[in-house]
């Protein structure tokens, strides 16, 4: 089941619905990341409907499909960077 895969990818305390809110939210910041082993990942920085700031990292698997590989809260530095980006929009 898809929800189980999202739950396994997220850090404890992050609910699957929060991950999906960030991925499908209208106000999100995509950041391309290259893993040290050469794998290209996409981190989506965004807010849940309740305002929680999360980074959801996905790995493109072909076409428009991606696999969720992780989700976590933003650090304080990332929070400042995201809020600065948000205010510039």
């Amino acid at each position: 089941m898809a929800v189980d895969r999202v739950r396994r990818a997220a850090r404890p305390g992050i609910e699957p619905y929060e991950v999906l809110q960030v991925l499908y939210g209208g106000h999100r910041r995509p950041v391309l990341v290259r893993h040290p082993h050469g794998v290209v990942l996409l981190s989506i920085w965004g807010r849940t409907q309740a305002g929680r700031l999360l980074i959801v990292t996905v790995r493109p698997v072909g076409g428009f499909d991606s696999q969720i590989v992780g989700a976590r809260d933003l650090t304080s530095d990332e929070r400042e960077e995201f809020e600065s980006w948000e205010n510039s929009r």
Side-chain angles (χ1 to χ4, degrees):
M1 176 179 227
V3 172
D4 290 333
R5 287 193 298 271
V6 173
R7 185 173 283 119
R8 284 193 302 271
R11 293 238 170 123
I14 298 175
E15 297 297 328
Y17 71 87
E18 292 178 302
V19 171
L20 296 176
Q21 286 175 359
V22 168
L23 290 176
Y24 294 108
H27 197 68
R28 58 192 184 275
R29 180 180 182 208
V31 178
L32 196 60
V33 178
R34 185 170 299 278
H35 189 274
H37 296 290
V39 177
V40 175
L41 303 171
L42 183 63
S43 289
I44 310 298
W45 299 30
R47 288 185 188 272
T48 66
Q49 290 175 1
R52 184 177 185 181
L53 289 169
L54 296 177
I55 293 178
V56 179
T57 302
V58 299
R59 180 178 63 88
V61 293
F64 291 105
D65 295 330
S66 295
Q67 176 186 17
I68 298 168
V69 296
R72 65 173 178 80
D73 291 293
L74 273 73
T75 65
S76 58
D77 288 343
E78 291 166 339
R79 177 181 297 269
E80 284 181 32
E81 184 179 340
F82 181 79
E83 288 175 345
S84 175
W85 173 83
E86 246 182 343
N87 292 330
S88 71
R89 309 286 299 154

